[in-house]
């Protein structure tokens, strides 16, 4: 099962839980109003922690490395299609909102979005 | 060098109601014990079969945990020892899954595999500089360093039921290249399959007196060449063993049977002809099958579950084990449930695969539990779990008698079951 990479521009290496070397797919779209950060799970190609296990920390790492203002970020977590017969590997997408206190993102809240909504964010 | 007395504890957990309970000799503690420096004297207590003596003289306490249902008990045990001034270190699979919480109850937490790391831990202990965290999750030791496990620390008589010795646990590999929905093994042991060298595996197998084993590897079906070589090398040992999935290839299955495959745990996730034929192929080679059936997946409706149970009765499984989908941390199911805000019970004692802790997609939690009970009751309606187990047991006894490896039960222990006297019905 290989991840479909339609929405992945680069593989981003990040520190997972307990500093475990981890990787995710990353696509960043900047506009005047906001920056859309699309983070994709890589499953078997991710050697470490899942993107959901460290959502807030991962978002902070991306903001830091790519000079993104967290307050102007639209953060989307994506579980890509895995070409599996099992339907729980079908594509699911979520926008994630955080509380932003003392310069740190916390308390991720997930809201599922449709593929059409995803396309609107990245078009 | 002065000896360090190390008390190693394996916490108890509540066994599932209505199911036949067997206490197998634990694997994690004996593997870890093999990596201890020579100056460490280890005394082991498996709380599932004997009580802990909190006042036993010792210098340092280790708590080894495999299941999520052990962690809360592990924390209580740690508090008892710490009250007595002992330092406590935690390790094992469920320590890794629940590390942040466990740190609140520990002097130290060890994450990762213990081979070649224990000298550092015990040296720090001796120098009164024990670290709060030893994090080796991402740096696995060379697989050649693994084993042989220290089975000598086990009190063997406690793992007997009416004189019949339980299987010994054994592993031939670590890590897993698969990324299965409900499983955390790839997080725990890495996402690449790390087979042990065959000569090391055989060397360890030769040290195990018990003829009956449970090869606990997540899946042996990850490297055909190694798997076939392993089975070929095992043939002369005449062991009889249980394992998880074996590769679905007649050449591999034939070798597995010759190497002593007794029965396998095989996931049954749908009612397809493929599954039916897969079970038949095992049986064609004389290998029994215990189906493992996960209930509560998002694609399962009530009708699907009932159809699946009917199907199980048709396909001639030797045994079936039903579990409720459980979102263990560091699994995809956990991530999915967190994102969808579907977990309503975070009590780790309920993460026993017998309790519904999340909102199923197509039914209420209560209805899923009813179907789970219905599955057990229906599958074992005509023949109980014990009766079906006895048939599998009789099968292995016959095979052992024919190849001269059969050992009669220990007559001295016929009135004992896991360290306790058997209460016989006088009627």
């Amino acid at each position: 099962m290989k991840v479909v990479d339609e929405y992945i521009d680069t593989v981003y290496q990040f520190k997972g839980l307990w500093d475990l070397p981890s990787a995710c797919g990353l696509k960043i779209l900047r506009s005047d109003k906001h920056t859309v950060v699309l983070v994709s799970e890589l499953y078997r190609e991710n050697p470490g922690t899942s993107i959901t296990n460290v959502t807030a920390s991962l978002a902070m790492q991306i903001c830091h490395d790519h000079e993104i203002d967290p307050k102007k970020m639209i953060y989307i977590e994506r579980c890509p299609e895995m070409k599996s017969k099992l339907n729980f590997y079908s594509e699911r997408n979520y926008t994630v909102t955080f509380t932003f206190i003392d310069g740190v993102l916390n308390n991720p809240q997930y809201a599922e979005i449709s593929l059409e909504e995803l396309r609107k964010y990245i078009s | 060098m002065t000896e360090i007395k190390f008390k190693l504890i394996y916490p108890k957990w509540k066994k599932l109601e209505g199911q036949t309970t067997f206490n197998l000799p634990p694997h994690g503690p004996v593997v870890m014990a093999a990596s201890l420096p020579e100056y460490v004297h280890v005394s082991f207590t498996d709380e599932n079969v004997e009580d802990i003596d909190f006042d036993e003289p010792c210098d340092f306490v280790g708590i080894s945990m495999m299941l999520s249902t052990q962690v809360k008990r592990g924390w209580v045990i740690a508090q008892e020892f710490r009250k007595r001034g002992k330092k406590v270190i935690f390790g094992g699979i469920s320590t890794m899954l629940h590390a942040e919480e466990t740190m609140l109850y520990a002097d130290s937490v060890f994450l990762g595999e213990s081979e070649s790391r224990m000298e550092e831990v015990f040296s720090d202990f001796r120098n009164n500089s024990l670290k709060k965290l030893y994090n080796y999750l991402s740096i696995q030791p060379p697989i050649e360093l693994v084993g042989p496990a220290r089975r000598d620390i086990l009190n063997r008589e406690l793992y007997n039921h009416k004189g019949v010795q339980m299987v010994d646990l054994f592993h031939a590999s670590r890590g897993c290249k698969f990324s299965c929905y409900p499983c955390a093994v790839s997080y725990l042991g890495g996402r690449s399959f790390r087979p042990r060298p065959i000569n090391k595996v055989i060397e360890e197998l030769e040290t195990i007196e018990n003829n009956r084993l449970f090869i606990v590897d997540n899946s042996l079906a990850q490297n055909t060449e190694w798997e076939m070589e392993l089975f070929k090398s095992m043939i002369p040992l005449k062991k009889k063993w249980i394992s998880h999935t074996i590769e679905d290839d007649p050449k591999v299955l034939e070798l597995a049977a010759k190497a002593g495959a007794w029965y396998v745990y095989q996931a049954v996730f749908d009612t397809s002809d493929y599954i039916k034929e897969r079970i038949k192929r095992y049986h064609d080679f004389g290998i029994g099958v215990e189906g493992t059936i996960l209930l509560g997946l998002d694609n399962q409706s009530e009708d699907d579950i009932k159809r699946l149970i009917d199907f199980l009765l048709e396909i001639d499984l030797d045994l079936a084990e039903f579990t409720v989908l459980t979102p263990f941390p560091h699994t995809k199911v956990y991530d999915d449930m967190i994102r969808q805000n579907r977990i309503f019970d975070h009590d780790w004692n309920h993460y026993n695969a017998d309790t519904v802790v999340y909102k199923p997609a197509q039914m209420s939690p209560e209805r899923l539990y009813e179907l789970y009970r219905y599955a057990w009751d229906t599958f074992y309606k005509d023949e109980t779990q014990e009766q079906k187990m006895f048939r599998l047991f009789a099968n292995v006894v016959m095979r052992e008698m024919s190849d001269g490896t059969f050992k009669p039960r220990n007559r001295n222990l016929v009135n004992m079951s896991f360290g306790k006297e058997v209460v016989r019905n006088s009627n």
Side-chain angles (χ1 to χ4, degrees), chain B residues 102-132:
Chain B
T102 299
M103 283 180 88
L104 302 174
Y105 301 89
D107 293 291
S108 181
V109 164
F110 183 91
L111 307 179
E113 298 174 6
S114 66
E115 288 80 13
S116 80
R117 315 293 187 205
M118 288 298 110
E119 177 61 47
E120 179 193 356
V121 172
F122 280 82
S123 174
D124 286 351
F125 170 77
R126 192 192 286 282
N127 298 325
N128 207 22
S129 58
L130 195 64
K131 296 182 187 77
K132 186 73 182 171

Side-chain angles (χ1 to χ4, degrees), chain A residues 22-84:
Chain A
S22 308
C24 64
L26 182 62
K27 187 180 188 73
I28 297 174
L29 292 111
R30 297 174 194 269
S31 72
D32 294 342
K33 281 186 187 166
H34 52 241
T35 302
V36 176
V37 174
L38 180 60
V39 173
S40 297
E41 182 55 74
L42 296 179
Y43 303 113
R44 280 163 61 174
E45 290 140 79
N46 172 6
T49 312
S50 75
I51 56 173
T52 310
N53 208 274
V54 289
T55 300
S57 155
L58 172 57
M60 281 302 294
Q61 291 177 58
I62 294 170
C63 285
H64 178 265
D65 289 350
H66 291 272
E67 296 178 338
I68 295 166
D69 180 351
K71 285 177 278 187
K72 291 182 179 171
M73 173 174 67
I74 295 172
Y75 189 88
I76 302 172
E77 245 186 46
R78 180 166 165 266
C79 305
E81 166 68 52
M82 286 288 286
K83 303 287 182 203
S84 166

Side-chain angles (χ1 to χ4, degrees), chain B residues 21-32:
Chain B
T21 296
F22 291 111
N23 290 295
L24 304 183
H27 189 237
V30 297
V31 172
M32 179 270 180

Side-chain angles (χ1 to χ4, degrees), chain A residues 1 17-21 41 43-53 77 79 86-89 92 94 110-112, chain B residues 96 99-100 103 111 133 135 137-138 177-181 186-187 191 269 297-299 330 332 334-336 338-340:
Chain A
M1 291 191 293
L17 193 65
W18 308 113
D19 290 341
L20 207 57
E41 182 55 74
Y43 303 113
R44 280 163 61 174
E45 290 140 79
N46 172 6
T49 312
S50 75
I51 56 173
T52 310
N53 208 274
E77 245 186 46
C79 305
L86 306 172
N87 76 344
F88 30 77
Y89 277 106
R92 306 287 283 262
Y94 303 83
Y110 305 85
E112 186 159 9
Chain B
M96 290 189 253
E100 280 171 311
M103 283 180 88
L111 307 179
L133 175 69
N135 180 5
L137 260 178
S138 61
K177 68 179 184 181
F178 301 118
S179 196
C180 296
Y181 187 58
S186 56
Y187 170 76
R191 287 186 195 272
F269 45 82
L297 293 161
D298 282 2
N299 62 348
H330 299 286
K332 184 174 187 312
Y334 182 81
D335 287 348
D336 285 352
I338 286 289
R339 282 188 298 255
Q340 294 159 18

Side-chain angles (χ1 to χ4, degrees), chain B residues 236-290:
Chain B
L237 302 176
K238 297 184 181 175
K239 299 283 187 192
K240 306 294 174 285
W241 45 272
I242 306 157
S243 75
H244 295 112
T245 313
I246 297 169
E247 196 160 334
D248 191 13
D249 175 329
K251 292 195 297 292
V252 180
L253 287 168
E254 187 181 2
L255 274 176
K258 284 182 182 166
W262 172 12
Y263 67 94
V264 296
Y265 288 94
Q266 174 65 49
V268 179
F269 45 82
D270 63 25
T271 58
S272 64
D273 286 344
Y274 169 75
I275 292 285
K276 199 181 227 174
E277 286 154 17
R278 179 88 160 105
I279 307 299
K280 184 179 176 304
R281 281 192 287 276
Y282 281 123
H283 282 159
D284 288 346
F285 286 97
I287 302 168
V289 182
E290 173 159 0

Side-chain angles (χ1 to χ4, degrees), chain B residues 198 202 224-238 241 251-252 254-260:
Chain B
I198 302 288
I202 299 302
T224 310
E225 198 183 327
W226 174 85
E227 190 182 13
M228 290 179 74
E229 195 54 44
L230 172 69
F231 294 156
K232 263 187 224 164
S233 306
M234 285 175 69
I235 293 171
L237 302 176
K238 297 184 181 175
W241 45 272
K251 292 195 297 292
V252 180
E254 187 181 2
L255 274 176
K258 284 182 182 166

